[in-house]
Amino acid sequence: MTSAAYYFHAHINEWCDEKKKALIARYTPIEPEDLQLGAFDIDWFREAYKEIGAERFEIVYDAAKYISSSNGHTRARKYADAVNGKMVAVEVKKQIAGKRNKDLLMAYALIPLAKDTTSDLLERYQYLQQFLKESKAFGAQRQESEKKAVEIGMQNLARNAGYSDVTRLVWSMETELIKEMEPYFTPTELEGFTVYVEVDAEGKSELRYLKGEKALNNVPAKLKRHPYIEELKAVHKKLKNQYSRSRLMLEQAMEDGVPFFISELAGLTRNPVIWPLLKNLVFVSKDDTGFFNDNCLVTPDGECIAKKSDTPVRIAHPVDLYQRGVWHRYQQYLFEKAVRQPFKQVFRELYVKTGEERAMTNSLRYAGNQIQPQKTVTLLKGRRWVANYEEGLQKIYYKENIIANIYALADWFSPAEIETPTLEWVAFYERKTYKPLKIEDIPGIIFSEVMRDVDLAVSVAHAGGVDPEASHSTIEMRRAIIEFTVLLFKLSNVTLEGSHAFIRGTMGEYNIHLGSGVIHQKAGAAINVLPVHSQHRGRLFLPFVDEDPKTAEIVSKILLFAEDKKIKDPFILDQIRIN
């Protein structure tokens, strides 16, 4: 009875003291804070239920209302009903859709799986992902709470299906999704036209329509209402969602240091959406660094290392590459081979702790910068930051038990009627005790990512008279790209100093700011060159998929003025003062 009673105590949404936490820890390895958020230990429940039997469990179930000051006990009851099969998945989905009830969503993942386990599991996985996507229509606070409910729901679903963690569940489900859609990759004859879905080398899907050998830009008019075309469009939409979902998950896996086995990566080579994302990423094992290919890690020189199928690897962060002394080599390799990564990895901005910061509990490197609160919140919510009424902007690392906090005297929830706030410091705390942590004790990847986010906010959501134009880290990234570009084009008249590129042209000397792209001629005025960003896309190589138009613009300007004798545009020529 004690075990069954504490099951209810553990799963109510209320605070519990240290004594109760210690008692609950006897029954489950799941942290009390995670249980409070909605995590569920299915093994504990089944053991307690079996021990006291259905009749006695009902007595404890009925008495649960006395342990809660309000309706906190109802979640524990929902979980019990779900695991015991008293809930019907289809009916629960209707209730969730009506009220967007988060407790029901997390319980939905615990309902016993149908005999066709894979099909039922896939349907629930897709429903959780759809719920998460729909949450973007709401405000920041609700988005965060619903996102957390989906995360807990995914954990509950993974335990229900017998997976060791959520990552394994996700890979399995994404692969099953592809299996369902494979028939639509085969060209099909339809009323004189050939139609199919194609996944390109980067994992992006496109709808293809052919009339004989001729490719058509749009669906033929006579096929617009054809049922098969509707099916193709639905598959195309699912593939686009899978691409976006997988790309984001891989970037978060890099930030969180999620481990994979060589054998798991090998299984993903057959997935036409995920594999193109994985093949251009750099991985690290305990001792080795390389791209994944032919069931092992491969160095830029083609050497096969880390071959064992049970070798744990993770997606490398610039911190790893920097510490191992191979960062520059991989940057060079991406440019030499024209490899485009799905997100900024090798050319990601890096932040390291300064000697002064290490002994401190907060960083002052961005103190004094004025920011726009609402724009900052909007910008950072996609990076897993949430605005807390008492503490300001927070980013929580549950696995490492660390809270990062951006402190400014700001109203994060409504437009401030006073002067725009000024950043004071960035601090780190222990998640459970809220004890301040020294910066030297913060893992390098967490520190770098937090500072990258703050730098982004300072550069994009700045306020006041001084425009930083671009973050310091963005300028450093552009410097690296320009260094390799200059080498590829064999340009000897371009030098980089600080935040400027200096060019010795035939008609004059110029400097271009790597943040703003502003061009000045030596002993002359600023030169106005209007960028046409749509023309840069696809013509100028950048080593990551999420192209930065400003980077493309600045690199193009450097190449243009490095060979100024070839400039034909009279508007530009009129501005150049020839000495």
Side-chain angles (χ1 to χ4, degrees), residues 458-504:
V458 167
S459 62
V460 177
H462 66 272
V466 180
D467 184 350
E469 295 168 330
S471 68
H472 305 300
S473 57
T474 299
I475 290 174
E476 288 301 313
M477 182 268 292
R478 287 175 184 163
R479 275 176 60 92
I481 290 174
I482 292 163
E483 282 175 4
F484 292 117
T485 304
V486 166
L487 288 173
L488 285 173
F489 281 83
K490 297 181 172 59
L491 299 174
S492 57
N493 60 339
V494 179
T495 56
L496 299 171
E497 294 180 22
S499 57
H500 287 82
F502 293 90
I503 303 167
R504 298 185 308 279

Side-chain angles (χ1 to χ4, degrees), residues 229-263:
I229 296 297
E230 294 302 315
E231 290 178 31
L232 278 181
K233 288 180 178 178
V235 168
H236 174 51
K237 185 177 180 181
K238 285 183 179 180
L239 287 168
K240 284 177 66 178
N241 289 339
Q242 186 181 45
Y243 175 85
S244 301
R245 202 162 53 233
S246 300
R247 186 167 163 240
L248 177 62
M249 190 179 69
L250 286 171
E251 186 171 9
Q252 290 181 353
M254 176 193 70
E255 294 178 36
D256 297 339
V258 175
F260 306 96
F261 293 115
I262 291 286
S263 57

Side-chain angles (χ1 to χ4, degrees), residues 164-236:
S164 58
D165 57 44
V166 173
T167 303
R168 272 74 192 171
L169 168 68
V170 170
W171 289 139
S172 176
M173 293 299 97
E174 296 294 348
T175 302
E176 289 298 325
L177 276 173
I178 288 294
K179 288 180 183 177
E180 279 191 352
M181 294 181 272
E182 276 179 349
Y184 297 94
F185 300 158
T186 305
T188 301
E189 294 295 324
L190 209 65
E191 298 184 24
F193 298 91
T194 303
V195 297
Y196 61 99
V197 177
E198 181 181 72
V199 180
D200 66 17
E202 289 185 351
K204 297 176 180 177
S205 67
E206 291 290 343
L207 291 171
R208 298 297 182 196
Y209 309 103
L210 303 175
K211 177 68 173 177
E213 297 295 322
K214 183 182 178 182
L216 306 176
N217 292 329
N218 299 302
V219 58
K222 63 187 296 186
L223 296 181
K224 279 187 176 179
R225 298 186 181 278
H226 197 286
Y228 189 73
I229 296 297
E230 294 302 315
E231 290 178 31
L232 278 181
K233 288 180 178 178
V235 168
H236 174 51

Side-chain angles (χ1 to χ4, degrees), residues 222-483:
K222 63 187 296 186
L223 296 181
K224 279 187 176 179
R225 298 186 181 278
H226 197 286
Y228 189 73
I229 296 297
E230 294 302 315
E231 290 178 31
L232 278 181
K233 288 180 178 178
V235 168
H236 174 51
K237 185 177 180 181
K238 285 183 179 180
L239 287 168
K240 284 177 66 178
N241 289 339
Q242 186 181 45
Y243 175 85
S244 301
R245 202 162 53 233
S246 300
R247 186 167 163 240
L248 177 62
M249 190 179 69
L250 286 171
E251 186 171 9
Q252 290 181 353
M254 176 193 70
E255 294 178 36
D256 297 339
V258 175
F260 306 96
F261 293 115
I262 291 286
S263 57
E264 290 175 320
L265 295 181
L268 293 169
T269 58
R270 297 185 293 274
N271 189 313
V273 174
I274 297 177
W275 173 237
L277 300 174
L278 281 172
K279 69 179 181 181
N280 292 329
L281 294 176
V282 181
F283 291 83
V284 291
S285 63
K286 183 180 179 182
D287 302 308
D288 300 313
T289 308
F291 298 96
F292 180 76
N293 195 13
D294 293 331
N295 297 336
C296 65
L297 296 189
V298 180
T299 67
D301 299 321
E303 182 185 355
C304 184
I305 51 179
K307 302 177 184 179
K308 293 182 179 179
S309 62
D310 61 347
T311 301
V313 298
R314 56 185 174 81
I315 300 171
H317 189 276
V319 168
D320 302 306
L321 304 177
Y322 174 74
Q323 291 175 344
R324 297 183 181 202
V326 296
W327 196 10
H328 187 271
R329 178 69 188 95
Y330 279 94
Q331 288 184 332
Q332 185 180 16
Y333 178 85
L334 292 188
F335 255 86
E336 288 176 352
K337 302 297 182 182
V339 174
R340 294 211 326 159
Q341 297 191 296
F343 56 85
K344 286 184 181 180
Q345 184 201 18
V346 172
F347 279 88
R348 196 178 192 84
E349 300 86 356
L350 173 67
Y351 300 78
V352 295
K353 306 164 188 174
T354 65
E356 183 184 2
E357 286 175 327
R358 287 183 174 276
M360 299 169 62
T361 57
N362 53 52
S363 171
L364 301 174
R365 66 171 70 184
Y366 295 107
N369 282 285
Q370 287 184 297
I371 55 169
Q372 302 172 52
Q374 293 303 298
K375 195 170 183 179
T376 301
V377 171
T378 304
L379 184 69
L380 295 184
K381 69 181 180 183
R383 296 279 306 148
R384 297 188 283 177
W385 288 83
V386 60
N388 182 289
Y389 278 99
E390 288 80 23
E391 305 298 336
L393 279 173
Q394 290 187 340
K395 189 173 186 178
I396 303 174
Y397 294 87
Y398 290 93
K399 187 173 71 173
E400 294 85 359
N401 286 317
I402 292 173
I403 296 175
N405 178 263
I406 299 174
Y407 183 77
L409 290 174
D411 185 346
W412 300 103
F413 298 93
S414 61
E417 296 179 356
I418 56 174
E419 184 182 1
T420 49
T422 302
L423 283 178
E424 301 291 338
W425 59 73
V426 179
F428 299 87
Y429 301 93
E430 209 280 332
R431 180 171 72 93
K432 297 176 182 177
T433 63
Y434 216 68
K435 176 185 175 184
L437 296 172
K438 286 186 178 179
I439 288 176
E440 66 181 356
D441 298 326
I442 305 301
I445 293 176
I446 290 179
F447 180 83
S448 181
E449 288 300 311
V450 167
M451 291 301 154
R452 182 176 183 264
D453 291 343
V454 180
D455 203 347
L456 178 68
V458 167
S459 62
V460 177
H462 66 272
V466 180
D467 184 350
E469 295 168 330
S471 68
H472 305 300
S473 57
T474 299
I475 290 174
E476 288 301 313
M477 182 268 292
R478 287 175 184 163
R479 275 176 60 92
I481 290 174
I482 292 163
E483 282 175 4

Side-chain angles (χ1 to χ4, degrees), residues 2 46 61 166 248 277 305 359 367 378 513 519 553:
T2 305
R46 285 173 176 163
Y61 179 99
V166 173
L248 177 62
L277 300 174
I305 51 179
T378 304
H513 193 277
I519 308 165
E553 174 196 331

